[in-house]
Amino acid sequence: MTRGLAVRQDVTLTPDPRRVIIKLFVPGEDAAVVRTRARALIDRVARLGDEETGRLLRDTFDRFGARHRDLAGTFHHHYDLVRHRAARARDLSPTSRLLVGAYFSHEYAVEAAALCNPSMVAHPDQTELGTGQLRVAVSLRQVGEGHVSSIGFATAVIGPGRQLTVADRSGPLAVGQRVGVRHRRDLLVAGLAEEDCDNEVAATVLDALPEWYDEATFERVLANLPPDLLSRSTGLGTLEQLRRTNAGSYATAFPTDTALHQRVLWPATPAESNGMEDARFVRFVDESGPVYRATYTAYDGRSIATRALVSSDLRRFEMTPMRGPGARNKGIALFPRTVGGRHLALCRADGETIGLTTLDSDNRWQAPAPLHAPGESWELIQVGNCGSPIETDAGWLVLTHGVGPMRRYAIGALLLDLHRPERVVAHLPGVLLAPDEDDRDGYVPNVVYSCGALVHGGELWVPYGASDARVGFATVSVPALLSAMVQAPPPVTATDELGGAG
């Protein structure tokens, strides 16, 4: 380990089981039985007297009202989702309907199991700060019951110097609500190509769609398909595939009166049903101004897929699939600006090598050029990035992670050429940050891992997950880190002894 470079801060974030959201609860829905219990439950609620119904509802609001936003609205919504099970839905009083909604709801502690893998970007609000201070937004992977991951946030102020203050995270949480989104035709084309869906039905739909379109336009195009195309053996299956691929893009937004730390990006599509993992946020700047971008891993319980999100204010988020050979594994990190007119990203398409991939004119991430393969003893299993490259005068600073014996994760560093980032110009010999005795025990032992750092006041601020038990923060002097780097060795190729760097 390169000793003395990384200084751990005393401030940490730990999982808080009081951070809860409300989810729909349908008794028996996961049981291997034919009958549903929902109808019987609604009938039992309907048979309660008015006095008992009112008392139960008041007691529920007393117990849970302060823990959630608009509890009555949530109960109404959950009632609407199950009212088709009610024998005489119209006969239920407004109070009974709310109580039915309460019985079909439950709390879910979003970070009861783990809190880890943070990234850090400048916060949209930089008001009321002192000299040398920067307000930052910290994204968090939060894991609850069933190992379901979602994306949460914290707010902190860093500086001057190595001072760090994390804002209070209390208050009711809010799950983003789906809102209208403009879809991109090229993403639909790329998605269908990856599914090998190329027939006359798909081609007719793609030809009729504009470059940008909304849901209403999409459904109108499907509705206007000629009957003789729909009657083909592949017709209905292609319609299903079109809708499934198109649904991979969506938008979600939060009420304006929610604080950042109260916002939860919760899985909203089948591809994300078992988790939204390891968001890597970056503040991207081009001629149109700054915008927040991120990548994350969608997990459905069987397979992973890479997704991107974009937001101007960290209140409204648009999610889209990432397509192409460069996006076929987890751990993609976007550059904070274009380089030579190219949109670039770090990736690990082969599962063990850091590569550089380029976005082409069809919105597909191309096959990557290898940058760094497992080489040192602490990284022989695999290497990957720890977030987006950070621009310095010396080059693009890349934090890496490596996996060694006993699946021990540690953090290192590379330096890429500023104008030709496919060229590694220097690397840090050894480890920058590794699990110490306080870091090694947790939900996933022996891990330190970051999804993105930033530079402020000459210091590299590195938020990191420590064995999924907590989130810590470390600072590194940028001049000292650059001085500790040495010239990079010749690149490893697929014919070299390690054999895994293609």
Side-chain angles (χ1 to χ4, degrees), residues 454-484:
L454 61 73
V455 170
H456 175 65
E459 294 284 337
L460 178 66
W461 285 83
V462 186
Y464 63 92
S467 298
D468 290 9
R470 63 188 177 93
V471 168
F473 300 86
T475 56
V476 183
S477 165
V478 174
L481 175 57
L482 295 175
S483 296

Side-chain angles (χ1 to χ4, degrees), residues 206-219:
L206 293 175
D207 184 62
L209 287 172
E211 181 181 358
W212 293 87
Y213 61 92
D214 57 18
E215 289 291 340
T217 301
F218 179 73
E219 290 298 331

Side-chain angles (χ1 to χ4, degrees), residues 26-220:
V26 181
E29 67 176 348
D30 297 324
V33 294
V34 175
R35 68 182 181 86
T36 176
R37 293 166 51 190
R39 183 183 300 274
L41 172 57
I42 295 174
D43 289 343
R44 289 195 289 270
V45 175
R47 289 196 294 268
L48 295 173
D50 291 343
E51 183 177 342
E52 178 73 355
T53 299
R55 185 190 65 78
L56 283 171
L57 190 61
R58 287 192 300 273
D59 182 64
T60 302
F61 279 119
D62 288 343
R63 290 177 182 272
F64 298 98
R67 291 164 63 94
H68 303 281
R69 295 172 55 91
D70 191 17
L71 196 58
T74 301
F75 290 166
H76 270 300
H77 176 59
H78 287 177
Y79 168 75
D80 285 340
L81 295 177
V82 301
R83 65 179 178 179
H84 60 279
R85 297 290 187 183
R88 297 186 304 276
R90 294 181 180 178
D91 297 335
L92 291 175
S93 69
T95 301
S96 295
R97 295 176 186 182
L98 279 175
L99 189 59
V100 168
Y103 274 101
F104 282 85
S105 303
H106 76 115
E107 288 189 329
Y108 181 90
V110 294
E111 57 188 54
L115 189 69
C116 55
N117 301 0
S119 68
M120 180 185 286
V121 291
H123 196 284
D125 178 15
Q126 294 296 324
T127 61
E128 300 180 359
L129 294 175
T131 302
Q133 291 184 319
L134 178 73
R135 184 173 288 112
V136 295
V138 182
S139 72
L140 302 161
R141 177 181 176 184
Q142 44 196 24
V143 186
E145 178 187 356
H147 200 79
V148 177
S149 297
S150 57
I151 300 172
F153 299 94
T155 297
V157 174
I158 59 176
R162 290 176 170 172
Q163 295 184 44
L164 167 66
T165 303
V166 177
D168 178 70
R169 300 175 69 222
S170 63
L173 302 184
V175 173
Q177 299 299 307
R178 291 285 288 267
V179 294
V181 64
R182 297 178 69 209
H183 295 275
R184 294 182 55 159
R185 181 183 177 277
D186 57 359
L187 277 177
L188 182 59
V189 171
L192 294 175
E194 288 188 358
E195 296 293 334
D196 198 25
C197 182
D198 182 13
N199 55 44
E200 291 307 310
V201 174
T204 301
V205 170
L206 293 175
D207 184 62
L209 287 172
E211 181 181 358
W212 293 87
Y213 61 92
D214 57 18
E215 289 291 340
T217 301
F218 179 73
E219 290 298 331
R220 184 166 60 251

